[in-house]
Amino acid sequence: PAGDYDIIIAGSESTGPGDAVVATFPAMLDDGEGYTVVANGVLAPGDFEGNPDGRDIAFDLLIATGARSSAASTDGDVEIRVVHGATDAPTVDVLADDGPFVDDAAYRDVTGYLGAPAADVDLDVTPGNDNTTVVASFDVDLGPFADAPLTVLASGFLSPGNENTDAGDDRPVAPFTLIAVAADGTVIDLGASRAQVIHNAPDPGAQVARSEERSTSTSTAPFFRRSMTSRSGAQPRSSISTPAFAPSPSPRALATT
């Protein structure tokens, strides 16, 4: 309901709204409005490379109005809202199939909804003043999101080796990627590789196979003549629930009072 709220961010060990609190943010929600709320930034800005444009990288909530739970039209396009959430990345452009899509997005910027074809699209991230230098490229299948809203976030660190965290902190620092979040909370790492495994070995001794990757969980392959699909570096879609957070080296949780 509409009203004034305290949005409480707490560590993963928190057992309630008053326990292990990292930060509290007041927010006023208007009746009938939709909001995109992104927990972003770092808890200790001095431990990480600063933003090239001088923008504040301290942990914060990016709150934007106009969030859509369904598409505004049924023209077959995907309606994409873009969030620049990579603290050490400069102002960027995003090219879709070599054409302009997002222009001059700086850290903390949240765009309005932009139409994109529901098809395979090549997304190139470039500096805002130099479209010939590609920072990162993503081959994205937008087909499943026709006539649907999608929030795409620039996430992680452009230079993940430049952090100055404590020597004893062995948590991984997330590299730069694009994270797509659907209206139902489904999260997809657009930079993850995708593999389909088909079990076609008839030997009864090969009924179950196990696959292991560094920095990812072990997955169990299907029984004979069945298949599975997984994404390296991303959780299976069915295992992710809302609220959705992009990868971060900082503890995070969300509660409201």
Side-chain angles (χ1 to χ4, degrees):
D4 295 328
Y5 290 84
D6 285 330
I7 301 177
I8 301 172
I9 310 298
S12 57
E13 70 277 15
S14 174
T15 58
D19 182 36
V21 173
V22 173
T24 301
F25 301 95
M28 183 177 68
L29 305 184
D30 294 330
D31 189 32
E33 182 62 84
Y35 296 89
T36 298
V37 182
V38 180
N40 215 88
V42 294
L43 294 177
D47 288 345
F48 296 89
E49 184 173 353
N51 180 259
D53 298 325
R55 294 209 165 186
D56 187 3
I57 65 171
F59 184 79
D60 198 2
L61 293 186
L62 309 182
I63 302 177
T65 58
R68 299 175 183 174
S69 58
S70 59
S73 66
T74 55
D75 58 6
D77 280 354
V78 186
E79 298 175 358
I80 297 178
R81 161 172 269 188
V82 177
V83 181
H84 187 329
T87 57
D88 65 341
T91 296
V92 299
D93 291 347
V94 180
L95 309 181
D97 290 336
D98 296 326
F101 185 62
V102 176
D103 183 50
D104 285 343
Y107 174 63
R108 298 177 58 92
D109 283 355
V110 182
T111 72
Y113 284 91
L114 309 167
D120 285 335
V121 178
D122 290 328
L123 297 179
D124 292 331
V125 181
T126 75
N129 58 357
D130 180 10
N131 290 161
T132 64
T133 300
V134 177
V135 174
S137 295
F138 302 87
D139 180 8
V140 180
D141 179 12
L142 295 177
F145 301 101
D147 293 329
L150 198 65
T151 299
V152 175
L153 304 95
S155 178
F157 295 94
L158 195 60
S159 302
N162 290 352
E163 71 282 352
N164 296 310
T165 52
D166 295 336
D169 189 347
D170 59 357
R171 289 173 295 179
V173 176
F176 183 84
T177 190
L178 295 182
I179 301 293
V181 184
D184 65 359
T186 298
V187 179
I188 302 172
D189 182 348
L190 300 181
S193 58
R194 185 176 184 273
Q196 183 180 47
V197 180
I198 301 172
H199 193 327
N200 193 43
D203 186 339
Q207 287 301 303
V208 178
R210 292 176 67 82
S211 173
E212 297 188 12
E213 301 173 80
R214 289 179 297 176
S215 302
T216 64
S217 60
T218 300
S219 59
T220 301
F223 290 103
F224 178 48
R225 289 179 180 166
R226 297 183 185 178
S227 70
M228 64 172 284
T229 300
S230 65
R231 286 176 175 269
S232 170
Q235 300 180 55
R237 292 175 61 179
S238 61
S239 71
I240 302 176
S241 60
T242 55
F245 292 91
S248 167
S250 306
R252 66 274 190 194
L254 177 64
T256 60
T257 58

